[in-house]
Amino acid sequence: MTTQFPLPEIGAETFGDITEDADGNPLSHAQVIRNVITEGQQAEASNLDFFGVGEHHRDDYAISSPEIVLAALASTTQRIKLGTAVTVLSSDDPVRVYERFATLDAISNGRTEIIAGRGSFIESFPLFGLDLEDYEDLFEEKLHLLAKLCLAIIGGQPSAFEGLATLYRRALEEFGQEQLPVSAHFHGLVAGSDEEALETLWPHYQRTMNRLGAERGWPPASKMRLQASMGPEGAMMAGSPDTVARKMAKVAQQLGLSRVDIKYSAGSLPHEAMLESIKLLGEEVKPRVHQLLGA
């Protein structure tokens, strides 16, 4: 017997990646932040359920104080839920995190969420005087205070996480707790066609992965690997509205997801392409996902 879950919410996320103008010149961090505000407003206008912004402390991402960006959005939107993607809890003070988000929750009239995690970059540790040797202990200690956890799917097959979702629900049941929602985060881009999504993403994806690969020892980016990631079993939600909707519905059903968020920004990807992706995600993908899951 198949377990039925409510129709998932659909959201969009960004790290405030530094983008370029029409002549290929990098935009200022200030302009990127203003663009993110516009993208969040577009997310609400396109009927998305959630808009999230990341936290980074390096020059290729513009957002280091996500709560400030979210406060601006809280003042210029009415309905959409707002949150981080993610708050780097390991290098922050959980009491201050709570205080900042309690303030933001008041401004937004209860629309704020914290997504807390370790973060996939480590630049905040030396910046705030923390020892990377304490990576695990810091997170565990601070998580006990905040009691929030997010698990981002940034590679591999989404279906591989089915066991974790099942284990989580079983543990809640065995400890006599109410069932809680499970959400997932994917990189992606919605475009007019699969080919358009690939060709739009590739140069920016290649540049970003090669830059990060030089730091982390990865091999050079491959267009074939990007295509595989965009395929039916890959972790990237990218392609036409129909392609993305079918893949999203499948994963939501497999994992019993209450929300699916797409990190729609990709390195130097132009602001206009991101706005179009948000629009298509809300106006075309979301209704198709709900139709597929409600059928």
Side-chain angles (χ1 to χ4, degrees), residues 17-20 203-204 207-208 266-271:
D17 312 48
I18 299 301
T19 52
E20 299 174 347
H204 310 285
R207 189 182 307 171
T208 299
S268 51
L269 186 70
H271 175 53

PDB file of all heavy atoms in Angstrom, residues 17-20 203-204 207-208 266-271:
ATOM      1  N   ASP A  17      25.048  34.441  -5.858  1.00  0.00           N
ATOM      2  CA  ASP A  17      26.239  34.283  -6.683  1.00  0.00           C
ATOM      3  C   ASP A  17      26.532  35.576  -7.444  1.00  0.00           C
ATOM      4  O   ASP A  17      25.626  36.243  -7.928  1.00  0.00           O
ATOM      5  CB  ASP A  17      26.047  33.164  -7.708  1.00  0.00           C
ATOM      6  CG  ASP A  17      25.489  31.879  -7.095  1.00  0.00           C
ATOM      7  OD1 ASP A  17      24.508  31.970  -6.340  1.00  0.00           O
ATOM      8  OD2 ASP A  17      26.035  30.805  -7.389  1.00  0.00           O
ATOM      9  N   ILE A  18      27.804  35.928  -7.562  1.00  0.00           N
ATOM     10  CA  ILE A  18      28.187  37.134  -8.297  1.00  0.00           C
ATOM     11  C   ILE A  18      27.964  36.903  -9.787  1.00  0.00           C
ATOM     12  O   ILE A  18      28.584  36.032 -10.396  1.00  0.00           O
ATOM     13  CB  ILE A  18      29.658  37.508  -8.037  1.00  0.00           C
ATOM     14  CG1 ILE A  18      29.865  37.802  -6.545  1.00  0.00           C
ATOM     15  CG2 ILE A  18      30.059  38.723  -8.879  1.00  0.00           C
ATOM     16  CD1 ILE A  18      29.016  38.931  -6.007  1.00  0.00           C
ATOM     17  N   THR A  19      27.050  37.665 -10.367  1.00  0.00           N
ATOM     18  CA  THR A  19      26.693  37.526 -11.774  1.00  0.00           C
ATOM     19  C   THR A  19      27.371  38.614 -12.607  1.00  0.00           C
ATOM     20  O   THR A  19      28.122  39.435 -12.073  1.00  0.00           O
ATOM     21  CB  THR A  19      25.169  37.580 -11.946  1.00  0.00           C
ATOM     22  OG1 THR A  19      24.672  38.758 -11.285  1.00  0.00           O
ATOM     23  CG2 THR A  19      24.507  36.374 -11.310  1.00  0.00           C
ATOM     24  N   GLU A  20      27.102  38.603 -13.919  1.00  0.00           N
ATOM     25  CA  GLU A  20      27.760  39.536 -14.828  1.00  0.00           C
ATOM     26  C   GLU A  20      26.740  40.372 -15.586  1.00  0.00           C
ATOM     27  O   GLU A  20      25.586  39.970 -15.736  1.00  0.00           O
ATOM     28  CB  GLU A  20      28.616  38.749 -15.836  1.00  0.00           C
ATOM     29  CG  GLU A  20      29.705  37.920 -15.191  1.00  0.00           C
ATOM     30  CD  GLU A  20      30.439  37.048 -16.194  1.00  0.00           C
ATOM     31  OE1 GLU A  20      29.932  36.907 -17.341  1.00  0.00           O
ATOM     32  OE2 GLU A  20      31.508  36.522 -15.858  1.00  0.00           O
ATOM     33  N   PRO A 203      28.246  27.137 -19.394  1.00  0.00           N
ATOM     34  CA  PRO A 203      29.434  27.978 -19.205  1.00  0.00           C
ATOM     35  C   PRO A 203      29.595  28.486 -17.778  1.00  0.00           C
ATOM     36  O   PRO A 203      30.711  28.606 -17.274  1.00  0.00           O
ATOM     37  CB  PRO A 203      29.221  29.132 -20.196  1.00  0.00           C
ATOM     38  CG  PRO A 203      27.775  29.124 -20.499  1.00  0.00           C
ATOM     39  CD  PRO A 203      27.325  27.706 -20.386  1.00  0.00           C
ATOM     40  N   HIS A 204      28.482  28.761 -17.118  1.00  0.00           N
ATOM     41  CA  HIS A 204      28.530  29.275 -15.742  1.00  0.00           C
ATOM     42  C   HIS A 204      28.827  28.144 -14.761  1.00  0.00           C
ATOM     43  O   HIS A 204      29.595  28.321 -13.811  1.00  0.00           O
ATOM     44  CB  HIS A 204      27.210  29.961 -15.412  1.00  0.00           C
ATOM     45  CG  HIS A 204      26.803  30.953 -16.447  1.00  0.00           C
ATOM     46  ND1 HIS A 204      27.394  32.191 -16.570  1.00  0.00           N
ATOM     47  CD2 HIS A 204      25.890  30.880 -17.458  1.00  0.00           C
ATOM     48  CE1 HIS A 204      26.858  32.843 -17.585  1.00  0.00           C
ATOM     49  NE2 HIS A 204      25.942  32.070 -18.136  1.00  0.00           N
ATOM     50  N   ARG A 207      32.588  27.269 -15.140  1.00  0.00           N
ATOM     51  CA  ARG A 207      33.452  28.240 -14.481  1.00  0.00           C
ATOM     52  C   ARG A 207      33.434  28.062 -12.965  1.00  0.00           C
ATOM     53  O   ARG A 207      34.479  28.083 -12.300  1.00  0.00           O
ATOM     54  CB  ARG A 207      32.995  29.648 -14.861  1.00  0.00           C
ATOM     55  CG  ARG A 207      33.934  30.750 -14.413  1.00  0.00           C
ATOM     56  CD  ARG A 207      33.369  32.115 -14.787  1.00  0.00           C
ATOM     57  NE  ARG A 207      33.029  32.198 -16.201  1.00  0.00           N
ATOM     58  CZ  ARG A 207      32.361  33.215 -16.734  1.00  0.00           C
ATOM     59  NH1 ARG A 207      31.930  34.205 -15.968  1.00  0.00           N
ATOM     60  NH2 ARG A 207      32.098  33.244 -18.017  1.00  0.00           N
ATOM     61  N   THR A 208      32.237  27.882 -12.402  1.00  0.00           N
ATOM     62  CA  THR A 208      32.106  27.734 -10.956  1.00  0.00           C
ATOM     63  C   THR A 208      32.757  26.445 -10.469  1.00  0.00           C
ATOM     64  O   THR A 208      33.517  26.447  -9.483  1.00  0.00           O
ATOM     65  CB  THR A 208      30.623  27.742 -10.548  1.00  0.00           C
ATOM     66  OG1 THR A 208      30.043  28.981 -10.935  1.00  0.00           O
ATOM     67  CG2 THR A 208      30.467  27.571  -9.038  1.00  0.00           C
ATOM     68  N   ALA A 266      23.479  29.996 -10.344  1.00  0.00           N
ATOM     69  CA  ALA A 266      24.611  29.133 -10.697  1.00  0.00           C
ATOM     70  C   ALA A 266      25.782  29.990 -11.146  1.00  0.00           C
ATOM     71  O   ALA A 266      25.925  30.307 -12.316  1.00  0.00           O
ATOM     72  CB  ALA A 266      24.215  28.155 -11.802  1.00  0.00           C
ATOM     73  N   GLY A 267      26.588  30.410 -10.188  1.00  0.00           N
ATOM     74  CA  GLY A 267      27.753  31.209 -10.520  1.00  0.00           C
ATOM     75  C   GLY A 267      27.368  32.498 -11.210  1.00  0.00           C
ATOM     76  O   GLY A 267      26.533  33.265 -10.723  1.00  0.00           O
ATOM     77  N   SER A 268      27.935  32.734 -12.388  1.00  0.00           N
ATOM     78  CA  SER A 268      27.729  33.995 -13.098  1.00  0.00           C
ATOM     79  C   SER A 268      26.486  34.005 -13.983  1.00  0.00           C
ATOM     80  O   SER A 268      26.330  34.881 -14.831  1.00  0.00           O
ATOM     81  CB  SER A 268      28.961  34.304 -13.953  1.00  0.00           C
ATOM     82  OG  SER A 268      29.307  33.194 -14.767  1.00  0.00           O
ATOM     83  N   LEU A 269      25.589  33.052 -13.800  1.00  0.00           N
ATOM     84  CA  LEU A 269      24.341  32.996 -14.568  1.00  0.00           C
ATOM     85  C   LEU A 269      23.621  34.340 -14.505  1.00  0.00           C
ATOM     86  O   LEU A 269      23.423  34.893 -13.427  1.00  0.00           O
ATOM     87  CB  LEU A 269      23.440  31.902 -13.991  1.00  0.00           C
ATOM     88  CG  LEU A 269      22.150  31.586 -14.731  1.00  0.00           C
ATOM     89  CD1 LEU A 269      22.449  30.888 -16.047  1.00  0.00           C
ATOM     90  CD2 LEU A 269      21.233  30.727 -13.860  1.00  0.00           C
ATOM     91  N   PRO A 270      23.207  34.911 -15.654  1.00  0.00           N
ATOM     92  CA  PRO A 270      22.608  36.252 -15.666  1.00  0.00           C
ATOM     93  C   PRO A 270      21.321  36.348 -14.843  1.00  0.00           C
ATOM     94  O   PRO A 270      20.540  35.391 -14.750  1.00  0.00           O
ATOM     95  CB  PRO A 270      22.320  36.497 -17.153  1.00  0.00           C
ATOM     96  CG  PRO A 270      23.269  35.615 -17.881  1.00  0.00           C
ATOM     97  CD  PRO A 270      23.413  34.391 -17.017  1.00  0.00           C
ATOM     98  N   HIS A 271      21.127  37.522 -14.268  1.00  0.00           N
ATOM     99  CA  HIS A 271      19.941  37.820 -13.464  1.00  0.00           C
ATOM    100  C   HIS A 271      18.654  37.537 -14.237  1.00  0.00           C
ATOM    101  O   HIS A 271      17.690  36.991 -13.696  1.00  0.00           O
ATOM    102  CB  HIS A 271      20.016  39.292 -13.050  1.00  0.00           C
ATOM    103  CG  HIS A 271      18.831  39.827 -12.326  1.00  0.00           C
ATOM    104  ND1 HIS A 271      18.298  39.244 -11.193  1.00  0.00           N
ATOM    105  CD2 HIS A 271      18.052  40.928 -12.578  1.00  0.00           C
ATOM    106  CE1 HIS A 271      17.266  39.962 -10.777  1.00  0.00           C
ATOM    107  NE2 HIS A 271      17.094  40.972 -11.595  1.00  0.00           N
TER     108      HIS A 271
END
